[in-house]
Amino acid sequence: MKINLEARALNAELRRGKTRGRIFEAASEVIARKGPHSVTIEDIVNAAGIARGTFYNYFQSTAELVSAVASEMAQSTDLEIEAQIQAIEDPAEAFATFGAMMASRVVGDPTRTWINLQQDRLQTQPPNAFVLRFEAILARGVEAGRFRSIDPLAARALALGSARAAIRNITSGQADVSHAAEVLALILVALGVPADEATPICVRAIEAAGHGRA
């Protein structure tokens, strides 16, 4: 009997994809049930109904799982952000909207809160989609004269590092959502936007993103 190697390879790939999806679903289920602060790999493999060794066939570490889940969520979030900012002409408003939408997707979402906490603990990098989005807005702002000329790497460190810290402060209960508007405004001022413009721009962006308490 002739063995169809291509069909066998395809079936194996489909099985791998299905198991990977089960791990993602299990992680979300456990995080929603236990909260983002006390999730373990053992919790996830038990919920997925797989052996611990099977987990490590797909992810070599917690950091790798965090990166994979974050990347998948980043892609869908970035599509939402693109739909919102594509018609915004002012780069300062586009950046504020970008930051506000990122924050709104984390606050109140246990899985995204877990990702943020794990990225801080493991010192992993932010999802590439958000880095590219920020750099595109920064370049447009500099070209339009809305932002001052600044080293892109320094600007990225300032913006994304501050955003992650602000989200951590909110999700840990140290601050309310008005904190996000304040941090976004400080970033815009650092980029060259006058303070009397930056604050109302960011407050409007936070309110539009659905927080309503900024």
Side-chain angles (χ1 to χ4, degrees), residues 5-83:
L5 296 180
E6 290 185 1
R8 178 176 290 182
L10 177 59
N11 287 335
E13 188 62 31
L14 289 174
R15 285 196 299 271
R16 283 186 60 82
K18 185 176 181 180
T19 302
R20 183 182 175 91
R22 283 170 60 192
I23 294 171
F24 280 9
E25 290 174 7
S28 296
E29 184 273 323
V30 171
I31 293 163
R33 174 165 47 84
K34 295 189 65 175
H37 298 275
S38 57
V39 176
T40 66
I41 295 297
E42 200 65 33
D43 293 327
I44 295 172
V45 299
N46 287 339
I50 61 175
R52 192 179 185 92
T54 301
F55 174 89
Y56 287 111
N57 287 335
Y58 292 83
F59 303 103
Q60 296 303 306
S61 64
T62 302
E64 193 172 318
L65 172 62
V66 170
S67 178
V69 175
S71 294
E72 288 211 355
M73 287 190 164
Q75 290 177 11
S76 61
T77 301
D78 191 58
L79 289 175
E80 294 180 52
I81 291 172
E82 171 62 21

Side-chain angles (χ1 to χ4, degrees), residues 1-182:
M1 182 176 65
K2 183 178 180 181
I3 299 175
N4 190 328
L5 296 180
E6 290 185 1
R8 178 176 290 182
L10 177 59
N11 287 335
E13 188 62 31
L14 289 174
R15 285 196 299 271
R16 283 186 60 82
K18 185 176 181 180
T19 302
R20 183 182 175 91
R22 283 170 60 192
I23 294 171
F24 280 9
E25 290 174 7
S28 296
E29 184 273 323
V30 171
I31 293 163
R33 174 165 47 84
K34 295 189 65 175
H37 298 275
S38 57
V39 176
T40 66
I41 295 297
E42 200 65 33
D43 293 327
I44 295 172
V45 299
N46 287 339
I50 61 175
R52 192 179 185 92
T54 301
F55 174 89
Y56 287 111
N57 287 335
Y58 292 83
F59 303 103
Q60 296 303 306
S61 64
T62 302
E64 193 172 318
L65 172 62
V66 170
S67 178
V69 175
S71 294
E72 288 211 355
M73 287 190 164
Q75 290 177 11
S76 61
T77 301
D78 191 58
L79 289 175
E80 294 180 52
I81 291 172
E82 171 62 21
Q84 290 295 317
I85 71 173
Q86 61 181 349
I88 299 177
E89 295 185 3
D90 181 8
E93 291 187 17
F95 171 74
T97 299
F98 165 58
M101 290 187 69
M102 283 183 61
S104 72
R105 297 307 183 272
V106 174
V107 176
D109 184 325
T111 300
R112 294 176 192 270
T113 298
W114 177 75
I115 290 170
N116 193 68
L117 291 170
Q118 293 297 311
Q119 285 180 328
D120 279 337
R121 182 176 69 82
L122 299 168
Q123 298 183 336
T124 58
Q125 295 300 310
N128 192 51
F130 296 147
V131 173
L132 295 176
R133 177 67 59 193
F134 169 72
E135 290 179 346
I137 295 173
L138 176 66
R140 183 156 66 92
V142 172
E143 183 179 359
R146 188 63 161 137
F147 300 153
R148 66 186 181 88
S149 181
I150 186 172
D151 174 59
L153 189 61
R156 187 175 79 187
L158 169 67
L160 297 182
S162 298
R164 183 182 291 180
I167 289 171
R168 182 177 64 246
N169 292 340
I170 295 170
T171 56
S172 67
Q174 298 180 69
D176 62 26
V177 293
S178 63
H179 180 63
E182 294 168 357

